[in-house]
Amino acid sequence: VEVELTDNYANNVRAYHLALSGLQFARAILEQDDPASDGPSELWYGLNAFGCVSPEQLLAMVKTVAEEGPDLFGERQTVPEIPADSTGSGCVKLSIVDEARKLPLNVLAVHANQKDTLFEQWRTIFVNLFAELEIDEDALNALIDWVDSEDRENEAYENGGGEDEYYQGLQSPYQTPDRPLEVPGELRLIRHFTCETLAKLFPEKECKDMPDTDLGTNEYLTSYGEPLS
């Protein structure tokens, strides 16, 4: 048993440092990126094309970037040759996603009396997205309840939401924060955002995958972005 525990500990250490090395490589790529333009030809955009990268492969990528620069794809649009993994010491998948391409959830965080045209325009955008993903509009209403500054259950468009009266009635009760979302993972706490609903934010995942899925990697929604002022 102690041998197995030691082996598990060693594997955890390897996995941690491999993940950390991948993170540092991604940061280095972004530091060399030209902020004036973005596109599919840039390395950060196509990192996931490399698949699961071993430590040896990661070193080869670093060497290639040092020799050829961050724009590895260039006109050839191909992934540079990388030696195969020979150690079996694990691998890391690299991916950088521009959060600005997603819809900012926190634009729905407004004061109870601030139902201006801009808010309604954003809400319409979210209504259309949820309809396209076949997510019930009650989930959107509950999301607005979660991030608004006051209890708005009497508002007509908040039907199906549910403020503290609902959450306090759960087996493990809690209160709505009434503030913008800090991380996408908070969606797990919001009424109507079941595993089936959350899976619809990931085209290739199912309900059973949600417990181990980082909601920040979803395709459509982000907690980055400021509330409407």
Side-chain angles (χ1 to χ4, degrees), residues 17-34:
H17 286 286
L18 181 57
L20 190 61
S21 64
L23 177 62
Q24 295 299 335
F25 177 75
R27 285 176 173 170
I29 293 298
L30 290 179
E31 287 177 357
Q32 299 182 60
D33 180 57
D34 180 5

Side-chain angles (χ1 to χ4, degrees), residues 38-209:
D38 291 315
S41 64
E42 297 186 81
L43 176 58
W44 72 263
Y45 185 95
L47 277 180
N48 58 345
F50 291 98
C52 203
V53 181
S54 70
E56 292 75 22
Q57 292 173 319
L58 190 59
L59 287 174
M61 291 172 64
V62 172
K63 181 179 179 182
T64 304
V65 171
E67 293 176 350
E68 300 186 26
D71 189 12
L72 291 185
F73 295 106
E75 296 180 357
R76 58 184 178 175
Q77 294 290 315
T78 59
V79 178
E81 293 186 6
I82 300 175
D85 180 12
S86 59
T87 65
S89 54
C91 61
V92 60
K93 290 184 178 180
L94 304 174
S95 178
I96 296 178
V97 176
D98 183 6
E99 288 291 294
R101 79 183 192 187
K102 303 178 183 180
L103 290 182
L105 292 164
N106 286 330
V107 296
L108 299 172
V110 296
H111 189 273
N113 297 320
Q114 189 180 348
K115 296 183 295 180
D116 57 15
T117 302
L118 183 58
F119 169 77
E120 293 299 339
Q121 288 175 342
W122 271 110
R123 185 177 183 279
T124 299
I125 292 174
F126 278 91
V127 166
N128 293 335
L129 172 66
F130 278 40
E132 182 68 23
L133 297 177
E134 298 182 347
I135 297 176
D136 195 294
E137 191 173 338
D138 284 347
L140 176 59
N141 293 332
L143 172 61
I144 296 174
D145 274 339
W146 186 267
V147 299
D148 67 12
S149 59
E150 294 180 4
D151 193 314
R152 299 196 292 180
E153 286 187 285
N154 293 326
E155 296 291 344
Y157 64 81
E158 291 303 324
N159 292 334
E163 288 270 3
D164 287 336
E165 182 178 354
Y166 167 77
Y167 297 107
Q168 287 295 310
L170 299 176
Q171 184 174 0
S172 299
Y174 52 89
Q175 291 182 313
T176 54
D178 295 330
R179 54 148 176 76
L181 292 172
E182 295 182 349
V183 293
E186 284 186 49
L187 291 173
R188 299 183 190 275
L189 299 174
I190 302 177
R191 185 182 184 185
H192 302 300
F193 280 89
T194 62
C195 68
E196 290 85 2
T197 298
L198 294 173
K200 293 177 180 179
L201 301 176
F202 299 85
E204 299 180 356
K205 292 185 181 293
E206 301 176 3
C207 176
K208 62 181 178 63
D209 302 316

